[in-house]
Amino acid sequence: FDEGRYCRIDQLSADFLRGAECIVALGGDGTLTAVTHIIRDRRAVIGVNLDPQTSRGATLQFSSVDAFMASLDNLASGAYRFEPWTRLAAKLNGTEIIPATYDYFLGSEKQYRMSWVQSPLDGASFDNGQRTDSSSGLIIGGRGHWLDHSARYLFPQGLRAPVDAPYALYVYREIDRCEIEKPDGTSHIVDPREAAWGVIFPGESLILKSLNRFGGVLVVDSEKEYRFDRGAVVEVSVAREPLWTICHA
């Protein structure tokens, strides 16, 4: 590549990518993740494993630089396909944050403390009833290993959604208590395992209010952290625009 058309991942910015129709992420899974956090539109991305000896490259489209270079002519002739990856969108106290390619984690800033959250029963308003949960945090996504393994106590075979699934999954880790409070003031405890996971469909949102006495944290793809205090509200939904990747035809 010509000098000026590439940069180190720690120097990457939206300005550098302006005008590019396709971005090649040359590195490991973390490099691809960092690139996806900058892309917010329909531009495509290709992940190429720079060092197969040290990186699994589980999410990359090409297993090595040699494999990518051997495919350049085919790519240039149109012998490729677009693969859309469903992404997540989130707001923290009404402000949009970085979209997640794999998952969001919401929990206590200190992992050894329980995380307490409330969510509206109807998914929209706390005035219509709410549920209060204590757990070691939530993982929201469905395409990454973290949610898959965290759900093994519920689903021994794992829980994962296809990369292009039009929905997202969420799991409460090590859920300890779930209390349902109805608008008439009555409440009851439900079996935590029955309330430990759920689905976010298009057009829906998962709304969560923090009841943590200590600081909370919202983490995007195990990379970017957003810290918040008691009373903060997080809203997660399926993003309108997927991430577009380019794969072999």
Side-chain angles (χ1 to χ4, degrees):
F1 297 102
D2 296 333
E3 186 175 354
R5 300 184 67 181
Y6 62 88
C7 73
R8 291 175 54 88
I9 191 63
D10 57 2
Q11 300 172 338
L12 186 63
S13 66
D15 287 339
F16 181 83
L17 296 181
R18 185 171 290 114
E21 296 182 3
C22 178
I23 297 94
V24 177
L26 184 62
D29 295 302
T31 302
L32 177 64
T33 300
V35 171
T36 66
H37 288 169
I38 295 178
I39 301 173
R40 306 290 183 92
D41 49 29
R42 297 180 63 86
R43 288 178 294 177
V45 63
I46 301 174
V48 180
N49 197 341
L50 180 61
D51 188 358
Q53 298 300 316
T54 61
S55 174
R56 289 181 58 203
T59 62
L60 306 180
Q61 286 70 48
F62 291 90
S63 60
S64 67
V65 174
D66 289 341
F68 174 62
M69 297 302 293
S71 300
L72 277 181
D73 288 341
N74 288 335
L75 294 174
S77 66
Y80 60 84
R81 61 183 174 85
F82 288 103
E83 183 177 76
W85 290 6
T86 302
R87 294 205 284 185
L88 301 175
K91 294 180 181 180
L92 175 58
N93 292 329
T95 300
E96 290 186 1
I97 67 169
I98 294 174
T101 302
Y102 306 108
D103 50 53
Y104 288 117
F105 168 77
L106 185 146
S108 176
E109 183 178 342
K110 304 292 187 181
Q111 288 291 287
Y112 51 79
R113 290 175 172 153
M114 295 297 289
S115 175
W116 290 81
V117 294
Q118 283 183 336
S119 55
L121 289 180
D122 63 0
S125 173
F126 288 96
D127 294 333
N128 298 323
Q130 60 196 15
R131 59 177 279 182
T132 302
D133 300 276
S134 64
S135 69
S136 60
L138 289 91
I139 302 175
I140 310 163
R143 282 151 287 282
H145 293 287
W146 199 4
L147 184 143
D148 180 35
H149 289 288
S150 297
R152 294 296 171 105
Y153 77 103
L154 298 167
F155 302 94
Q157 301 304 315
L159 180 66
R160 183 178 292 194
V163 295
D164 59 348
Y167 57 84
L169 304 170
Y170 62 89
V171 170
Y172 287 82
R173 301 189 314 171
E174 302 168 311
I175 188 168
D176 175 66
R177 179 183 175 90
C178 178
E179 181 177 3
I180 304 297
E181 301 173 64
K182 297 183 178 180
D184 61 8
T186 61
S187 64
H188 64 279
I189 305 297
V190 301
D191 183 347
R193 293 173 65 92
E194 295 180 1
W197 74 286
V199 182
I200 306 173
F201 292 103
E204 298 180 346
S205 295
L206 177 62
I207 300 175
L208 302 160
K209 180 192 293 183
S210 174
L211 301 181
N212 291 338
R213 290 180 296 169
F214 307 97
V217 63
L218 178 61
V219 185
V220 188
D221 293 331
S222 302
E223 294 281 343
K224 174 67 175 178
E225 294 184 356
Y226 295 87
R227 300 185 183 278
F228 55 81
D229 298 319
R230 181 184 177 93
V233 176
V234 174
E235 181 178 349
V236 180
S237 60
V238 176
R240 292 195 181 101
E241 187 66 46
L243 175 74
W244 291 95
T245 66
I246 290 181
C247 307
H248 296 285

